[in-house]
Amino acid sequence: MHGPHPDAVPALIARACAFVGLLDVVAGVFTRFRHSRIHSIMEVLPGALGPFAAALSLSTGLLLLLLAHGLRRRKRRAWRAAVALLPIGALTQFVYRHSVFGMSISLVLLVLLVRHRREFTALPDPRSRWRALANFVLMSAGSLGLGVVIVSAHGGQIVGDPGITDRLAHVLYGLFGFEGPVDYTGSASSTVGFSLGALGLITAVTTIYLAFRPEHPAARLTEEDESRLRVLLDKHGRRDSLGHFALRRDKAVVFSPSGKAAVTYRVVSGVMLASGDPIGDVEAWPGAIERFMDEAKAHSWTPAVMGCSETGGEVWTRETGLDALELGDEAVVDVADFSLAGRAMRNVRQMVKRIERAGYETRVRRVRDLGEAELERVRRAAEDWRGTDTERGFSMALGRIGDATDGDCLIATAHKADEVRGEYDDLKAILHFVPWGPDGASLDLMRRDRSADPGMNELLIVAALQAAPKFGITRVSLNFAMFRSALARGEKIGAGPVLRAWRGLLVFLSRWFQIESLYKFNAKFQPRWEPRFVVYRASGDLPRIGFAAMQAEGFVTLALPLPRFLRRRSAAARVCAHTVADVGVHAGQDLAWHAVQHDRPPRT
């Protein structure tokens, strides 16, 4: 049984802050509300100050709403902002309204914040200049909508009957501090003007703050960190097929006190996402996990682990008190047991022979054995054949091809000699594998020329498995099948109604997410199945973790899209992905390719 949530007190304070902020906004917008029975309560809230009551109430409400999220996450800077604003609110209450009671309310709130100051110790999140642009777009849209409400709320004092175009124009002028085309009788014109000006000022101030605040860049894997991780992988890399993906350079890392274990992660939307199992000696995992949890607590990040093994899940839950949920199974092929012979492999065997008769040939090599010219051709082809505007990848993708430090990676390529044309010569498809210890390989990405024949998946996977022995590879990790066990058990004789209903839902969702088809595709190669888990703190965190995972994997992009020709074409940015949202294509398999291979429209 779990104890109280560690953020219970900040959460209550944040809710109170948001509630008061909402009341202030309503009081600033609707004149009837300010003169209702609640007016006597609203008068003593920060924001109702004399002739500028509406604008100040609106401004204070918006600022409180903006601060509520930071207070909920125990952010120190949000606490400092509230502590700085409350004395000003108390002073204005006394100087402008001579209200001792109103001043006392502000001071009581200040005392409560000071009393609970130890609850607000979280450090800042990694920052991006995109947040300033996002704030400007969202605040501008919100101000425009709220401005129309403000203009229309004083309908009884509007001169004439202006249309929606005039009202929008009045809002736009008012946001910049100018008079618009709508006229009012009485004091309504000043009230509306001050309110719209306040909205524009808050939009400008918050955007400028986000654009020019001191930089706190997102963590990156340093050269020293990468070297230390490679040492750990050399000793313990064969334990986890996802270990090599810890070397993505857009991840950060925490090491155990002994330096014998590490956890890599990325922070997305306040979620601290680790991927796979900790790297290094299992005996040192608890120390690395403790450092991870300390870092999450220091920044008030939500801790989560994507795609850990059963052993990893047991250690994480034992050491932290977190919970684990099975996501699906990883398909692992033992090379010694793989053969195209037999009835079970007939479909794969026929597919491969058909493609070979069409004139395709395959080559499987270490990255270090490719010439620079061919390697560059592979890099460019992998990017151009990506199939989506956004690069994808985090938990099961390396994010680069052909780096000098990745010479042990395998590249399987398909060629068609009678079609030697274009910038990629005869290259038609690519598979990229990362090392899984000294005797394993883990699938990273799959790309192909869209004009190539269907069946490239089968052809290159078979080629890689058949070539594996000469590289000393005894096992190959392929794709990750989401909810595989439910699909497999639900179709068996004797499955209960609940299991059959769950399987039916998964089959239905497969029309869009290819859950069933990916499972059946993996099953063609007769793999053994290894379960993978997500580790989380509370059930209420799962939607947030899922959304953060989709962002990390590139399936949700909050930044404004750029035309493709304007994007930086950097090798370090070339990633293909895997996530819960894309039904777990292990090691960054491009689902759009899989869809084309099976005559389905690509899904981005």
Side-chain angles (χ1 to χ4, degrees):
M1 185 167 230
H2 300 291
H5 198 284
D7 295 335
V9 172
L12 290 175
I13 294 176
R15 291 191 191 102
C17 179
F19 178 71
V20 173
L22 184 59
L23 290 179
D24 277 350
V25 170
V26 173
V29 173
F30 299 103
T31 55
R32 292 184 179 180
F33 181 81
R34 293 203 303 275
H35 296 286
S36 66
R37 295 180 181 179
I38 268 181
H39 178 58
S40 59
I41 299 176
M42 290 299 302
E43 280 185 318
V44 300
L45 292 174
L49 310 174
F52 309 113
L56 288 172
S57 180
L58 184 63
S59 302
T60 304
L62 288 173
L63 290 174
L64 288 173
L65 287 170
L66 291 173
L67 285 174
H69 179 65
L71 293 174
R72 167 65 179 82
R73 296 186 56 212
R74 303 187 297 110
K75 292 299 181 181
R76 187 69 175 176
R77 288 190 175 180
W79 178 87
R80 288 173 178 169
V83 167
L85 288 172
L86 282 173
I88 297 175
L91 180 64
T92 52
Q93 286 279 358
F94 182 75
V95 171
Y96 286 98
R97 297 189 68 253
H98 309 291
S99 173
V100 176
F101 186 60
M103 180 183 67
S104 300
I105 289 292
S106 296
L107 293 177
V108 168
L109 293 174
L110 176 63
V111 169
L112 288 175
L113 279 173
V114 172
R115 180 181 178 184
H116 294 285
R117 62 186 179 277
R118 294 182 179 177
E119 298 285 346
F120 300 92
T121 59
L123 300 174
D125 288 347
R127 296 176 191 153
S128 168
R129 297 306 183 203
W130 282 107
R131 294 191 180 184
L133 180 59
N135 178 83
F136 176 75
V137 173
L138 294 175
M139 288 290 292
S140 296
S143 296
L144 190 63
L146 189 56
V148 173
V149 175
I150 292 172
V151 170
S152 304
H154 300 78
Q157 296 175 282
I158 294 179
V159 177
D161 186 22
I164 185 62
T165 302
D166 289 333
R167 298 186 187 214
L168 283 172
H170 193 84
V171 172
L172 289 174
Y173 277 107
L175 292 176
F176 289 94
F178 300 105
E179 285 291 332
V182 179
D183 294 323
Y184 295 88
T185 60
S187 61
S189 180
S190 296
T191 301
V192 171
F194 279 121
S195 298
L196 294 178
L199 285 175
L201 182 62
I202 291 175
T203 300
V205 169
T206 54
T207 300
I208 291 171
Y209 167 74
L210 290 173
F212 293 99
R213 62 181 174 169
E215 184 67 22
H216 183 74
R220 292 290 185 269
L221 202 65
T222 66
E223 290 184 7
E224 180 183 357
D225 290 337
E226 184 174 339
S227 297
R228 295 178 66 184
L229 286 173
R230 287 185 182 277
V231 171
L232 294 178
L233 287 170
D234 287 342
K235 294 180 180 179
H236 308 281
R238 73 181 321 274
R239 211 209 58 76
D240 185 15
S241 64
L242 307 187
H244 200 85
F245 299 124
L247 298 177
R248 283 184 63 100
R249 288 166 185 159
D250 56 359
K251 291 183 178 181
V253 61
V254 290
F255 289 90
S256 66
S258 65
K260 295 181 179 180
V263 175
T264 57
Y265 67 91
R266 186 194 297 174
V267 178
V268 183
S269 296
V271 178
M272 191 175 181
L273 281 172
S275 57
D277 292 345
I279 306 300
D281 188 351
V282 176
E283 297 297 323
W285 283 9
I289 290 173
E290 183 179 1
R291 287 281 179 87
F292 176 89
M293 297 300 292
D294 288 344
E295 190 78 2
K297 182 178 180 181
H299 292 83
S300 191
W301 292 329
T302 299
V305 185
M306 300 298 298
C308 66
S309 68
E310 188 169 4
T311 300
E314 289 173 353
V315 176
W316 273 101
T317 55
R318 183 183 70 236
E319 296 296 327
T320 64
L322 301 178
D323 289 325
L325 177 68
E326 184 175 346
L327 288 177
D329 296 270
E330 173 187 12
V332 178
V333 177
D334 292 313
V335 174
D337 298 333
F338 178 76
S339 172
L340 285 178
R343 183 179 180 82
M345 298 298 295
R346 182 179 60 182
N347 290 338
V348 176
R349 183 172 62 250
Q350 291 176 346
M351 175 72 75
V352 169
K353 289 185 178 300
R354 180 181 62 78
I355 298 173
E356 289 176 342
R357 285 196 300 268
Y360 288 89
E361 63 176 30
T362 60
R363 303 168 194 167
V364 182
R365 293 160 289 175
R366 296 282 188 188
V367 166
R368 59 173 171 264
D369 296 329
L370 273 70
E372 185 56 37
E374 184 177 7
L375 199 53
E376 179 59 27
R377 192 160 58 245
V378 167
R379 292 192 192 104
R380 288 188 288 106
E383 181 173 344
D384 289 347
W385 296 343
R386 185 172 61 229
T388 59
D389 289 335
T390 305
E391 284 286 5
R392 296 173 176 176
F394 165 65
S395 57
M396 300 181 182
L398 185 60
R400 59 183 183 266
I401 298 179
D403 191 272
T405 60
D406 298 322
D408 286 340
C409 292
L410 284 178
I411 288 184
T413 53
H415 306 262
K416 195 169 186 181
D418 60 344
E419 295 186 11
V420 182
R421 65 176 183 268
E423 58 180 323
Y424 308 126
D425 199 35
D426 63 346
L427 183 64
K428 293 299 179 181
I430 304 163
L431 259 66
H432 187 254
F433 296 83
V434 299
W436 173 11
D439 61 347
S442 189
L443 184 59
D444 176 25
L445 67 80
M446 307 175 75
R447 300 283 168 83
R448 68 158 230 175
D449 186 341
R450 302 299 176 183
S451 65
D453 293 336
M456 290 291 127
N457 285 4
E458 289 87 344
L459 175 67
L460 287 176
I461 289 176
V462 168
L465 291 171
Q466 291 177 336
K470 73 176 183 180
F471 296 105
I473 293 174
T474 62
R475 53 196 177 146
V476 176
S477 173
L478 298 178
N479 300 314
F480 176 80
M482 195 75 167
F483 304 123
R484 182 208 66 88
S485 59
L487 289 168
R489 293 198 303 266
E491 63 185 354
K492 291 183 177 179
I493 297 177
V498 174
L499 190 56
R500 288 186 178 275
W502 175 224
R503 182 182 181 278
L505 176 61
L506 293 176
V507 171
F508 175 75
L509 294 175
S510 294
R511 298 179 182 180
W512 298 277
F513 297 108
Q514 303 164 0
I515 300 174
E516 184 185 31
S517 60
L518 186 57
Y519 154 58
K520 290 185 175 180
F521 177 81
N522 290 332
K524 289 181 180 181
F525 302 96
Q526 303 298 307
R528 55 183 169 88
W529 301 99
E530 299 288 343
R532 290 280 174 176
F533 300 82
V534 57
V535 177
Y536 60 98
R537 182 171 56 187
S539 298
D541 292 335
L542 286 174
R544 185 179 181 188
I545 292 170
F547 184 71
M550 287 191 289
Q551 287 181 261
E553 301 287 356
F555 282 86
V556 174
T557 304
L558 300 184
L560 294 180
L562 293 174
R564 185 161 185 153
F565 70 90
L566 292 178
R567 297 180 199 135
R568 179 186 298 177
R569 299 170 66 89
S570 123
R574 297 180 183 117
V575 185
C576 190
H578 156 88
T579 188
V580 175
D582 74 342
V583 300
V585 182
H586 170 68
Q589 179 185 359
D590 186 1
L591 281 184
W593 179 19
H594 180 71
V596 171
Q597 293 279 63
H598 294 272
D599 297 323
R600 296 186 183 89
R603 180 179 67 82
T604 58

